[in-house]
Amino acid sequence: MWSNRWLFVLAAAGSAVGLGNLWRFPYITGENGGGAFVLIYLICIALVGIPIMMAEVLIGREGRQSPVNSMRSLTQQHHRHRAWVLVGWMGVVAGFLILSFYAVIAGWALKYVFSMAGGGFAGASGDQAVAAFDQFLGSPWEMLLWHTLFMALVVFIISRGVVAGLETAVRWLMPLLFVLLAVLVGYGVTSGGFAQGVDFMFGLEWGKLTGAGLFDALGHAFFTLSLGMGAIMAYGAYVPSSVSITNTVVTIAVLDTLVALAAGLAIFPVVFANGLEPGQGPGLMFVTVPLAFGQMPLGALFGTLFFLLVGFAAITSAISLTEPALAYFVEQRNVKRSKAAAGIGVVCWLLGVGTVLSFNEWADVHLLGQMTFFDLLDYFTQNILLPLGGLFIALFAAYALPKAVLKHQLGIKTALSEKGWLLLAGVVAPLGVLAVFLVTIIGLDNIRAWLS
Ligand code: TRP
């Protein structure tokens, strides 16, 4: 059990804050045209993400086992349909799929630790930074090396049991990451592109929002908060009963959102000051951040440190991706932790090779329309598996668990707050997910045409 409230906050924040905030949020914001997309994302965090995160923590804490077994024992105890257990299994699968590409991108960050340390970016131009990144993407063997290194680190850490290292990593390194983000935002302010960057992120131009953007915003809200696959549920199993779920969850969500916004404010000014393309895709952070540090005194040092911290943030997130599967194997199958860890590592590593190749050898292999293997994995997990998982988790908490359990877990005292929570988790969050699915199926443009 986490020894106190803060340890859980640290672990959950370590899970939430990762590549999703630093790498993914800026690049999908760029691809989706900024402002309106960011607003939708914030609404998804508040109305869908927070209630679902509360549901995950409370199910975990009530079940006190791995997500699969928590779901199983709660459905048995309260005589619900066995099919609810599938939610747990779906999470295990989603965790494998996500980790497989997460490790590849985290490998990019490791590579950039060394690129920055080599000082190669001092005074680099935008074109040079883009070229350096493209060259790296073109070398599958090099990418495979870093991908393998990251996966090996994760397996090493999880096979030893996590809590001690996790606490130190999050308690010391996360604040340091915030400091470096602040340095980058400070640089952005002086870069000459700040006003444009802010305008891009917060200027509301509804015309730029597409149906795909709406879908991405919802999917990203799940991804960035680590929701929908049981990671937070697994951590919730270790939360002491005295901790307030509501306060904790709100703290984590706010923190996670602030980090994402800071990353955007660090990156977009650099984009505009250097005439780069905001919608350039997954390379955005790897082009803009070296560029910014390359123009600062002590930039090589700061830049090295920055990518090192990105790597740490990625590790604490990757650990949580494995926890539902790992906890299950250890408690149910009596497998040794190190064996289970190695097994997870090998499967995810193999799948990850597909992502590595998506950026070079297989760049022209398109599945389902225009998607590469990586695009497909990313889309299928974030936009479909996680929101579906979250939808069922919310419904389970709101309707399948007895109200007494909810009240006890959430410390609800008044009928009004009970109604309020049920409205959020049982109605608003599920309808939000369904509405976005529906809009995606119908097409936002068709709805616009129909409305006007
Ligand atoms: N939230 C992490 C990030 O933003 C990634 C992550 C960790 C995750 N655990 C998860 C995403 C579980 C979805 C589900 O980088």
Side-chain angles (χ1 to χ4, degrees), residues 223-242:
F223 186 76
T224 192
L225 293 178
S226 303
L227 295 180
M229 54 82 56
I232 297 296
M233 197 187 289
Y235 280 1
Y238 308 107
V239 179
S241 2
S242 57

Side-chain angles (χ1 to χ4, degrees), residues 88-449:
W89 284 113
M90 228 168 84
V92 170
V93 173
F96 276 81
L97 296 179
I98 295 174
L99 182 58
S100 82
F101 68 81
Y102 204 83
V104 175
I105 314 293
W108 296 359
L110 297 186
K111 144 87 185 174
Y112 267 70
V113 171
F114 289 85
S115 304
M116 292 305 299
F121 286 101
S125 69
D127 289 344
Q128 284 167 326
V130 172
F133 183 70
D134 285 345
Q135 196 193 356
F136 172 55
L137 281 195
S139 349
W141 288 106
E142 203 189 344
M143 230 157 117
L144 195 66
L145 174 80
W146 298 108
H147 159 55
T148 308
L149 181 66
F150 182 83
M151 201 60 106
L153 276 173
V154 171
V155 169
F156 177 73
I157 295 170
I158 60 176
S159 61
R160 313 192 59 185
V162 290
V163 185
L166 207 63
E167 184 184 2
T168 330
V170 182
R171 185 171 283 173
W172 297 103
L173 301 178
M174 191 107 80
L176 204 55
L177 178 67
F178 299 160
V179 171
L180 282 182
L181 269 180
V183 170
L184 277 176
V185 175
Y187 171 80
V189 173
T190 64
S191 69
F194 195 68
Q196 250 178 304
V198 170
D199 199 46
F200 180 77
M201 275 180 72
F202 301 109
L204 288 182
E205 288 179 54
W206 289 104
K208 282 202 206 155
L209 186 71
T210 62
L214 190 69
F215 204 28
D216 280 352
L218 178 78
H220 189 69
F222 280 92
F223 186 76
T224 192
L225 293 178
S226 303
L227 295 180
M229 54 82 56
I232 297 296
M233 197 187 289
Y235 280 1
Y238 308 107
V239 179
S241 2
S242 57
V243 165
S244 155
I245 292 181
T246 314
N247 293 347
T248 317
V249 163
V250 171
T251 310
I252 295 163
V254 168
L255 188 77
D256 184 80
T257 306
L258 289 178
V259 177
L261 294 177
L265 286 176
I267 285 174
F268 286 114
V270 179
V271 167
F272 293 109
N274 291 279
L276 297 170
E277 182 51 56
Q280 65 181 266
L284 189 64
M285 174 180 90
F286 294 94
V287 168
T288 49
V289 169
L291 199 57
F293 282 124
Q295 294 169 15
M296 273 181 232
L298 292 182
L301 179 67
F302 281 173
T304 308
L305 200 56
F306 177 83
F307 280 106
L308 202 60
L309 293 169
V310 173
F312 273 111
I315 286 183
T316 55
S317 300
I319 289 172
S320 76
L321 281 164
T322 66
E323 185 61 23
L326 201 58
Y328 175 78
F329 285 128
V330 173
E331 92 198 350
Q332 177 81 7
R333 310 256 156 206
N334 254 320
V335 184
K336 262 181 58 194
R337 203 177 164 90
S338 53
K339 277 218 179 105
I344 295 172
V346 168
V347 173
C348 294
W349 180 86
L350 274 175
L351 263 174
V353 175
T355 292
V356 168
L357 295 174
S358 300
F359 292 96
N360 34 67
E361 308 296 323
W362 292 357
D364 297 318
V365 180
H366 293 305
L367 311 151
L368 295 185
Q370 284 303 306
M371 294 198 255
T372 62
F373 180 80
F374 161 72
D375 294 333
L376 188 69
L377 263 189
D378 177 90
Y379 188 82
F380 178 62
T381 51
Q382 260 86 273
N383 290 27
I384 298 175
L385 274 186
L386 298 180
L388 271 186
L391 173 71
F392 288 123
I393 287 169
L395 293 176
F396 184 78
Y399 301 110
L401 287 180
K403 300 292 165 283
V405 168
L406 288 184
K407 285 211 260 207
H408 168 69
Q409 282 294 345
L410 298 177
I412 287 176
K413 305 234 161 45
T414 65
L416 188 68
S417 40
E418 183 187 344
K419 288 231 167 56
W421 194 77
L422 283 175
L423 181 70
L424 271 179
V427 182
V428 175
L431 282 185
V433 173
L434 288 176
V436 173
F437 277 141
L438 210 64
V439 171
T440 306
I441 293 166
I442 301 174
L444 189 60
D445 290 334
N446 291 330
I447 296 177
R448 279 200 180 114

Side-chain angles (χ1 to χ4, degrees), residues 16-147:
V17 174
L19 296 173
N21 311 61
L22 305 164
W23 161 74
R24 200 167 185 276
F25 171 74
Y27 105 70
I28 61 169
T29 298
E31 284 183 337
N32 285 299
F37 172 84
V38 173
L39 182 63
I40 298 286
Y41 154 79
L42 293 174
I43 294 173
C44 290
I45 295 279
L47 295 183
V48 180
I50 289 180
I52 293 181
M53 196 186 241
M54 291 174 70
E56 281 209 29
V57 182
L58 84 84
I59 294 171
R61 190 163 77 175
E62 181 71 18
R64 289 263 184 243
Q65 297 163 66
S66 67
V68 169
N69 284 330
S70 286
M71 292 299 287
R72 181 173 293 143
S73 72
L74 292 176
T75 48
Q76 284 168 353
Q77 196 180 333
H78 303 296
H79 310 291
R80 300 299 175 191
H81 200 285
R82 275 196 322 205
W84 285 112
V85 181
L86 288 177
V87 177
W89 284 113
M90 228 168 84
V92 170
V93 173
F96 276 81
L97 296 179
I98 295 174
L99 182 58
S100 82
F101 68 81
Y102 204 83
V104 175
I105 314 293
W108 296 359
L110 297 186
K111 144 87 185 174
Y112 267 70
V113 171
F114 289 85
S115 304
M116 292 305 299
F121 286 101
S125 69
D127 289 344
Q128 284 167 326
V130 172
F133 183 70
D134 285 345
Q135 196 193 356
F136 172 55
L137 281 195
S139 349
W141 288 106
E142 203 189 344
M143 230 157 117
L144 195 66
L145 174 80
W146 298 108
H147 159 55

